[in-house]
Amino acid sequence: MLRLCTPASLKPSTIASSTGGDGTAGAVEYSTQPLRTIRPSSPLDLLDFRDLIQYRDLLATLAWRDIKVRYRQTYLGAFWVLLQPILGASVFFIVFHNIGLLPGPQGVPYFVFSMSSLIAWNFFTSILNKASNSLVNNSQLISKVYFPRLLLPLSSVLSSTVDLIISILVLTAIMAFSGMTFDYCLAFLPLWLMSLAMLASGLSFLIGSLMVSYRDVQHILPVALQMMLYASPVGYTLDQALTRAPSDLHFVFRLNPLSGLLEGFRCSLLGLAAPDATTIAFSITVSAIVFLTGLVTFKRMERRFADVI
Amino acid sequence: MSSSLKKGDAQALPDYADQDYMILDLSPPPQLALSVRGLSKTYKIAQSIDDHVTAAEALAAWVLKGFRGGRYQDFKAIHDVSFDLFAGDVMAILGNNGSGKSTLLKLISRITEPTNGKIDLYGRVGSLLEVGSGFHPELTGRENIYLNGTILGMSNREIDREFDAIVEFAGVEKFLDTPIKRYSSGMSVRLAFAVAAHLRSEILIIDEVLSVGDQDFQKQCLERMRTLAQDGRAVLFVSHHLESCRELCNKALVLNEGSIDFMGDIEAGLEYYADLQQVNDIGLLKRSQAAR
């Protein structure tokens, strides 16, 4: 049975005529109206932006913890951020270029090409991996402290962005070394990165909240990502994929939202031809839809996290 | 004179216009800090032993049962709880294991969501349900103060302001730049409590954290909590250590199987709780005798 009373009617105003001193000593101030009312949430509740703003420092702190902890007790420290895409690009260079005899696109050395692809790909997977696992990895926190749960995956996006910026700076140095320059396409870089981040975080909201109940997802994710690496134009361009792959397989590249985003990212950095408008529109729309779907799902599942994790 | 609400004698809310109550709060009118109305929390617990744990099993079970929900039993962890907490009140929540103390605190701290009812908060809530939530062993003491502080809801600026006081309270000046994993467990507990004790929130929720640390530190913590209450904060306090409840609190709330059994001042509350336990013991005794 629900008994509702308005707080005003509960306050013993009958005796409160002699309001001489302040009831609250020291720095403690209460509001006369409820600052917040906790009640069962409804599926129609929107995102609580007031909460997110109040806890904004936590977002930065969690991201910063992530970055700091990752390279504690490593000998090379933050150099790993530089080394990872270089080593990855070297493998691609040998497998696709030396063995697979795949040329880079016109005017771009294959190594620079594959490194730029891998930077975008690593950004995508690092968000997906870290953000999806962030809830389960912080289960202790979720069951003992309140804070907007969304901050956990969001902080992974933030810390991945820091890695991304460092990697792009390294790539810039390598490009300058091989005599390449940027052109006007660079202005579109934020668009591609935003879309990549939206796609990855939207997916990780879904996967992360599913993982709270079903840890199976933890085992599927790495396999799925490995398959996706080869089903996306990372080691080759979309054109190469479409000309070399049998036409039965074209749908894989056509329906993969990463195709447009990776092509766009490379076009911005390396000054390659931009993908056609349909591909761009499709990729960005899919990213936005995935992001919103993820957000809504996360919001709805969030209330059960502390009970089931 | 008792200003208590006992279970059977009135199924209504405590009547604050009641004269008994007014005698307790003479000079300044009590400022409401927190009001709980008709609060319930029901957990669903799987009834059958073949609890499905994987998505595939859940899906299969769901299909097999004709797309109806699984067989679950309701467990009422908190049932129709209503009470008010005023500024400067330190309320002990007493009750046996499983009586719903922790669930109540989790509901007020927004960690879990109520099934029914509502809680009005007239100030910010700082809750300490576990010492050192979010402490990371690889980070230094200084870094962990900021991490733990922001997790508990402080802003960086607030932590900056309280930093020296926190360090002094914890007594870890020399080890500020040492990773927490090299701390003794006593040191990290002291640091954790120090951060929480400097929360600027108006409503404090503290669960069973005084059982850690040595005697001196426990005394220091009690002292700190008393100061916080004297500043006008409202405190909800759970502890199995009845002596510290008596020392610190002025009110008590006894929970039994998820409902309020008693609410009133601390001495009467402790007495009621002692009686309750005795009754339970006798019940247990009778049951075990019957079994024999």
Side-chain angles (χ1 to χ4, degrees):
Chain A
M1 190 183 58
L2 197 73
R3 281 191 298 245
L4 288 180
C5 289
T6 59
S9 72
L10 274 170
K11 274 201 327 191
S13 49
T14 40
I15 52 160
S17 48
S18 63
T19 319
D22 54 336
T24 58
V28 184
E29 284 283 338
Y30 289 87
S31 99
T32 47
Q33 290 300 308
L35 276 182
R36 181 181 288 284
T37 299
I38 304 171
R39 49 171 89 246
S41 68
S42 95
L44 295 173
D45 284 348
L46 294 170
L47 205 59
D48 192 347
F49 282 105
R50 192 175 61 156
D51 239 20
L52 287 179
I53 290 167
Q54 196 195 324
Y55 278 89
R56 63 187 182 281
D57 281 348
L58 179 57
L59 177 66
T61 309
L62 285 174
W64 162 92
R65 171 192 73 172
D66 197 26
I67 296 167
K68 276 215 151 149
V69 168
R70 196 153 9 125
Y71 300 110
R72 278 283 150 95
Q73 275 204 4
T74 57
Y75 187 67
L76 292 176
F79 269 106
W80 282 112
V81 186
L82 319 184
L83 277 178
Q84 274 161 349
I86 293 179
L87 292 177
S90 310
V91 173
F92 269 43
F93 185 78
I94 294 167
V95 173
F96 285 110
H97 189 65
N98 285 359
I99 301 174
L101 300 177
L102 211 61
Q106 76 285 13
V108 179
Y110 184 84
F111 184 82
V112 174
F113 164 80
S114 65
M115 189 167 159
S116 72
S117 310
L118 275 174
I119 287 173
W121 173 257
N122 284 346
F123 179 56
F124 177 78
T125 50
S126 121
I127 292 179
L128 205 55
N129 270 323
K130 283 192 289 186
S132 302
N133 286 302
S134 63
L135 295 168
V136 170
N137 286 347
N138 290 288
S139 57
Q140 193 63 13
L141 271 187
I142 288 180
S143 58
K144 292 291 182 188
V145 199
Y146 171 79
F147 53 90
R149 310 310 190 196
L150 200 60
L151 291 183
L152 286 172
L154 281 183
S155 75
S156 312
V157 177
L158 206 60
S159 67
S160 303
T161 309
V162 173
D163 285 358
L164 170 86
I165 291 170
I166 297 175
S167 328
I168 289 183
L169 291 177
V170 177
L171 180 72
T172 312
I174 291 176
M175 282 169 64
F177 187 71
S178 40
M180 292 171 66
T181 49
F182 292 125
D183 65 3
Y184 70 95
C185 291
L186 192 66
F188 292 102
L189 191 63
L191 174 74
W192 310 117
L193 293 179
M194 280 288 288
S195 305
L196 270 172
M198 280 206 303
L199 183 66
S201 48
L203 282 173
S204 68
F205 295 157
L206 285 168
I207 297 169
S209 36
L210 212 59
M211 205 186 282
V212 170
S213 307
Y214 305 110
R215 302 288 149 93
D216 311 47
V217 187
Q218 228 164 356
H219 305 289
I220 304 166
L221 187 62
V223 184
L225 277 177
Q226 204 171 23
M227 280 157 67
M228 245 172 109
L229 170 63
Y230 295 108
S232 310
V234 179
Y236 38 83
T237 65
L238 184 57
D239 270 346
Q240 286 170 337
L242 293 180
T243 45
R244 294 182 180 215
S247 53
D248 293 352
L249 285 176
H250 283 187
F251 77 98
V252 173
F253 299 100
R254 293 270 179 226
L255 288 179
N256 184 349
L258 280 172
S259 300
L261 301 181
L262 288 167
E263 286 281 304
F265 177 82
R266 284 188 300 238
C267 125
S268 280
L269 273 183
L270 309 176
L272 298 171
D276 60 276
T278 352
T279 316
I280 295 176
F282 175 76
S283 300
I284 293 179
T285 317
V286 170
S287 306
I289 292 173
V290 168
F291 181 72
L292 289 176
T293 314
L295 204 56
V296 170
T297 314
F298 191 91
K299 234 11 242 173
R300 291 203 56 174
M301 310 268 274
E302 183 182 42
R303 72 187 90 155
R304 289 176 46 236
F305 285 173
D307 297 339
V308 286
I309 204 158
Chain B
M1 156 193 16
S2 82
S3 63
S4 54
L5 174 81
K6 287 208 172 91
K7 206 177 185 176
D9 56 57
Q11 269 294 321
L13 292 169
D15 184 2
Y16 291 113
D18 185 273
Q19 205 187 354
D20 276 356
Y21 192 83
M22 283 152 53
I23 290 165
L24 268 181
D25 303 80
L26 272 180
S27 36
Q31 162 69 55
L32 199 55
L34 163 86
S35 97
V36 175
R37 288 293 170 267
L39 194 70
S40 300
K41 172 77 186 181
T42 308
Y43 286 104
K44 296 216 180 303
I45 31 180
Q47 206 173 17
S48 46
I49 315 158
D50 55 296
D51 186 13
H52 20 272
V53 277
T54 65
E57 280 172 32
L59 190 70
W62 186 57
V63 172
L64 284 176
K65 278 173 191 153
F67 303 100
R68 277 181 281 110
R71 283 186 300 154
Y72 285 103
Q73 212 169 24
D74 281 352
F75 172 70
K76 288 176 180 164
I78 285 287
H79 180 62
D80 198 15
V81 163
S82 303
F83 69 95
D84 286 328
L85 190 67
F86 294 93
D89 273 353
V90 184
M91 187 187 263
I93 299 181
L94 305 169
N96 295 324
N97 286 334
S99 57
K101 298 186 304 276
S102 297
T103 309
L104 181 61
L105 297 194
K106 278 189 177 183
L107 286 167
I108 298 171
S109 339
R110 297 172 69 198
I111 292 167
T112 182
E113 194 171 82
T115 319
N116 252 318
K118 68 163 188 171
I119 306 168
D120 279 318
L121 303 169
Y122 292 81
R124 286 201 297 162
V125 173
S127 68
L128 184 57
L129 302 194
E130 181 193 53
V131 173
S133 307
F135 265 20
H136 199 290
E138 295 287 342
L139 296 177
T140 67
R142 184 190 306 277
E143 290 162 345
N144 268 307
I145 290 177
Y146 280 90
L147 179 61
N148 187 229
T150 44
I151 284 173
L152 293 176
M154 293 164 101
S155 68
N156 282 338
R157 201 188 299 169
E158 280 173 315
I159 302 171
D160 287 340
R161 209 160 43 210
E162 303 285 338
F163 191 83
D164 293 338
I166 293 173
V167 174
E168 197 194 331
F169 188 92
V172 292
E173 291 91 342
K174 274 188 268 174
F175 308 100
L176 264 186
D177 295 306
T178 312
I180 288 272
K181 63 177 176 184
R182 311 244 183 271
Y183 277 36
S184 73
S185 57
M187 269 161 67
S188 58
V189 164
R190 283 212 302 276
L191 185 62
F193 188 85
V195 178
H198 290 80
L199 279 172
R200 306 291 288 178
S201 51
E202 290 82 22
I203 304 161
L204 269 180
I205 296 175
I206 300 167
D207 186 5
E208 203 70 73
V209 287
L210 287 180
S211 45
V212 287
D214 55 21
Q215 285 280 309
D216 279 350
F217 185 67
Q218 286 189 10
K219 212 178 273 177
Q220 195 186 346
C221 293
L222 279 173
E223 203 47 56
R224 175 70 192 174
M225 293 211 278
R226 201 167 294 133
T227 323
L228 291 174
Q230 274 160 4
D231 285 348
R233 286 184 177 79
V235 185
L236 278 178
F237 182 66
V238 166
S239 174
H240 283 292
H241 194 240
L242 299 181
E243 261 331 292
S244 46
C245 289
R246 195 189 305 274
E247 252 180 82
L248 190 71
C249 307
N250 62 344
K251 290 194 175 171
L253 187 150
V254 181
L255 280 177
N256 192 13
E257 293 176 357
S259 325
I260 298 185
D261 243 20
F262 174 92
M263 189 160 62
D265 59 52
I266 182 70
E267 285 305 328
L270 286 169
E271 214 170 287
Y272 186 94
Y273 181 52
D275 287 350
L276 181 76
Q277 277 186 314
Q278 220 159 34
V279 170
N280 282 351
D281 287 348
I282 293 169
L284 274 180
L285 201 68
K286 277 186 179 160
R287 236 173 288 160
S288 65
Q289 277 169 349
R292 242 178 263 153

